[in-house]
């Protein structure tokens, strides 16, 4: 099995470099919209708009049983009250057993290209956190860096402004949110930490579920779209984590976070590329780890680069992308105090595969992942993945 799946991955990569880039790509980065942008764009005749996206996946680690899963089914609902005021929401069903509200916000247009927003919104960090619909990215699974550092799908309650300065080819977003939850009550008046080295900040997402807040956080993003086929992004997130107010002895419960992200998407003929870099600096982690017994690092860092070709003719409605993505991410990029760096958290993934868009809004995916970390020895299973994604 290992030889077969490795051969598949090599064939995917060879095919990519054996093609001539003469066709258009699926989505130009200047034209690409996510679910909220599509519904809020006002291109629908009815005041009520309904849509959905979903992913069904098969994951087969080497030497282990495979897993079939309806990872998510998300219902999209929008309502236009008038030309200035709209509402958008995403209701997510995960693994056929969990229900979450992924977004729910009011958008008010105060002027051309200037909007005020309030509610449950996505943090504008990187690419995939905002563009996470299955037809907008290659690979069955989202980049792993966007799982533990960003972490997708990262949304919180807040208010802010978004818009465009077309004269400068610049888009902007700026919001005030509640922050990550760093601790929870253990029911006996003590602390239970929720942030740790293995999955970084992921467990701290509050998702609008009875969210606690003792200090606001600030999130912003600038996007430049002045060159044909190119979109550049600069993101920032700054603030402190939130701790339950009914916990006694809160020393060390809050952690400061300063996160900066750079991202780029480029399209030329039928070649497309994207890349992302994220660095998160965390303060007071030594006190936090002492108080909670966790192993949270004082810095997290990661990046990925990806290239892809569309193998089908320009005139064909169907698109067949072959791609390769290299990804390196470390949730123990640095540690404070007595905490010893864990090399198992310094990980590298190489993903090669195909994305076959059989119709606009329907994609079949297959890829193979070579996975490794900085510990000596072969201690991470490579993985074969297949998936079906829809978005309408």
């Amino acid at each position: 099995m290992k030889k077969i799946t490795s051969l598949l991955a090599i064939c995917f990569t060879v095919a990519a470099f054996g093609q001539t880039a003469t066709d258009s790509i699926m989505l130009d980065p200047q034209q690409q919209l996510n679910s909220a942008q599509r519904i809020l764009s006002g291109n629908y005749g009815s005041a009520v708009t309904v849509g959905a996206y979903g992913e069904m996946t098969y994951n087969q680690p080497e030497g282990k049983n495979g897993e079939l899963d309806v990872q998510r089914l998300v219902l999209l609902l929008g309502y236009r009250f008038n030309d200035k005021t709209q509402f958008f929401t995403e209701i997510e069903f995960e693994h056929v057993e969990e229900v979450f509200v992924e977004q729910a916000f009011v958008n008010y247009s105060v002027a051309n290209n200037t909007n005020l927003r309030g509610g449950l919104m996505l943090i504008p960090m990187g690419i995939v956190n905002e563009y996470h619909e299955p037809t907008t990215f290659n690979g069955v699974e989202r980049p792993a860096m966007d799982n533990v550092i960003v972490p997708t799908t990262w949304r919180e309650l807040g208010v802010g402004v978004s818009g465009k300065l077309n004269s400068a080819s610049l888009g902007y977003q700026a919001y005030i949110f509640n922050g990550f939850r760093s601790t929870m009550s253990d029911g006996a008046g003590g602390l239970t930490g929720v942030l740790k080295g293995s999955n970084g900040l992921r467990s701290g997402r509050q998702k609008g579920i009875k969210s606690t807040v003792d200090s606001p956080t600030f999130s912003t993003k600038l996007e430049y779209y002045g060159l044909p086929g190119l979109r550049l992004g600069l993101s920032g997130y700054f603030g402190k984590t939130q701790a339950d107010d009914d916990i006694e002895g809160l020393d060390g419960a809050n952690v400061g976070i300063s996160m900066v992200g750079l991202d780029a998407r480029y399209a030329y003929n039928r070649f497309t590329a994207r890349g992302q870099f994220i660095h998160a600096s965390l303060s007071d982690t030594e006190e936090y780890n002492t108080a909670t017994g966790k192993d949270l690092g004082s810095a997290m860092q990661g990046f990925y680069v990806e290239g892809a070709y569309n193998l089908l003719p320009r005139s064909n409605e169907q698109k067949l992308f072959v791609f390769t993505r290299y990804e390196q991410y470390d949730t123990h990029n640095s540690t404070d105090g007595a905490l010893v760096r864990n090399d198992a958290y310094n990980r590298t993934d190489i993903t090669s595969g195909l994305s076959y868009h059989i119709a606009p809004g329907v994609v079949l995916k297959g890829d193979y992942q070579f996975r490794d970390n900085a510990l000596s020895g072969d201690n991470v299973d490579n993985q074969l993945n297949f998936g079906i994604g829809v978005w309408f």
Side-chain angles (χ1 to χ4, degrees):
M1 180 66 179
K2 191 166 186 176
K3 291 182 179 179
I4 294 174
T5 50
S6 298
L7 181 60
L8 284 172
I10 293 170
C11 289
F12 291 154
T13 306
V14 171
F17 288 97
Q19 298 297 319
T20 303
T22 60
D23 202 0
S24 62
I25 66 159
M26 174 186 61
L27 289 172
D28 186 291
Q30 297 188 61
Q31 303 299 324
Q32 185 173 342
L33 302 176
N34 60 27
S35 295
Q37 291 165 344
R38 282 174 55 174
I39 288 180
L40 296 176
S41 65
N43 295 325
Y44 298 87
S46 172
V48 178
T49 305
V50 179
Y53 67 84
E55 296 175 88
M56 293 153 282
T57 61
Y58 172 72
N59 305 115
Q60 176 66 68
E62 291 287 354
K64 297 181 180 178
N65 290 339
E67 179 183 84
L68 288 161
D69 186 21
V70 180
Q71 276 205 10
R72 54 184 59 87
L73 175 62
V74 182
L75 302 181
L76 314 172
L77 301 172
Y79 187 79
R80 187 175 68 253
F81 297 93
N82 55 39
D83 290 341
K84 289 183 174 292
T85 310
Q86 297 162 287
F87 174 73
F88 174 78
T89 188
E90 295 186 10
I91 302 172
E92 180 177 25
F93 300 84
E94 286 193 357
H95 314 296
V96 202
E97 63 179 1
E98 300 174 313
V99 182
F100 297 100
V101 177
E102 191 160 290
Q103 296 189 73
F105 64 87
V106 172
N107 185 86
Y108 180 71
S109 176
V110 296
N112 288 336
N113 296 319
T114 303
N115 305 288
L116 296 179
R117 291 181 176 179
L120 185 66
M121 297 176 288
L122 298 172
I123 309 296
M125 178 62 65
I127 301 173
V128 171
N129 200 54
E130 292 189 280
Y131 298 90
H132 52 260
E133 297 81 3
T135 60
T136 65
F137 63 90
N138 289 311
V140 176
E141 301 295 337
R142 299 165 180 173
M145 183 180 70
D146 286 309
N147 185 303
V148 296
I149 299 179
V150 173
T152 301
T153 304
W154 181 13
R155 71 273 192 188
E156 299 295 353
L157 287 161
V159 295
V161 61
S162 69
K164 293 182 179 180
L165 301 173
N166 286 325
S167 60
S169 301
L170 195 67
Y172 63 88
Q173 299 181 69
Y175 305 103
I176 298 295
F177 289 109
N178 66 273
F180 287 103
R181 183 194 299 270
S182 55
T183 58
M184 298 178 63
S185 173
D186 62 5
L191 280 172
T192 296
V194 298
L195 306 179
K196 55 187 178 181
S198 61
N199 66 353
L201 300 169
R202 186 168 188 81
S203 298
R205 297 173 303 162
Q206 298 202 65
K207 309 177 187 178
I209 305 172
K210 296 182 179 180
S211 300
T212 183
V213 56
D214 53 29
S215 62
T217 61
F218 177 66
S219 175
T220 186
K221 184 169 187 177
L222 297 175
E223 288 189 288
Y224 177 73
Y225 51 89
L227 297 176
L230 179 67
R231 183 179 287 267
L232 302 174
L234 171 64
S235 309
Y237 176 87
F238 310 96
K240 287 191 173 184
T241 62
Q242 321 293 302
D244 283 355
D245 60 7
D246 60 349
I247 301 175
E248 297 179 2
L250 288 177
D251 291 342
N254 291 331
V255 175
I257 300 175
S258 296
M259 185 184 297
V260 176
L262 299 171
D263 62 80
R265 288 171 286 167
Y266 180 69
Y268 179 74
N269 291 331
R270 63 177 176 175
F271 169 76
T272 182
R274 61 169 55 188
Q276 181 172 292
F277 170 84
I278 302 289
H279 179 85
S281 178
L282 281 63
S283 61
D284 301 319
T285 55
E286 182 178 6
E287 293 82 355
Y288 174 80
N289 291 331
T290 300
T292 63
K294 298 299 182 179
D295 62 344
L296 184 64
S298 59
M300 305 178 192
Q301 183 169 292
F303 75 92
Y304 71 79
V305 291
E306 175 187 300
Y309 287 100
N310 174 27
L311 306 181
L312 297 181
R314 180 186 181 91
S315 59
N316 200 324
E317 181 184 62
Q318 296 182 341
K319 308 294 180 185
L320 178 60
F321 289 91
V322 60
F323 76 96
T324 297
R325 180 172 67 236
Y326 179 88
E327 183 174 9
Q328 195 278 329
Y329 54 104
D330 186 359
T331 51
H332 266 188
N333 186 249
S334 66
T335 58
D336 279 347
L339 180 63
V340 178
R341 171 187 170 85
N342 190 338
D343 283 339
Y345 302 157
N346 183 6
R347 289 158 280 193
T348 300
D349 295 345
I350 300 175
T351 305
S352 293
L354 294 167
S355 298
Y356 181 28
H357 298 260
I358 62 175
V362 182
V363 62
L364 308 180
K365 299 182 179 184
D367 62 60
Y368 186 76
Q369 293 181 295
F370 299 92
R371 305 193 299 179
D372 198 5
N373 61 36
L375 286 178
S376 60
D378 186 9
N379 48 54
V380 183
D381 294 322
N382 296 333
Q383 184 164 294
L384 178 68
N385 307 298
F386 294 102
I388 301 173
V390 297
W391 179 29
F392 60 90

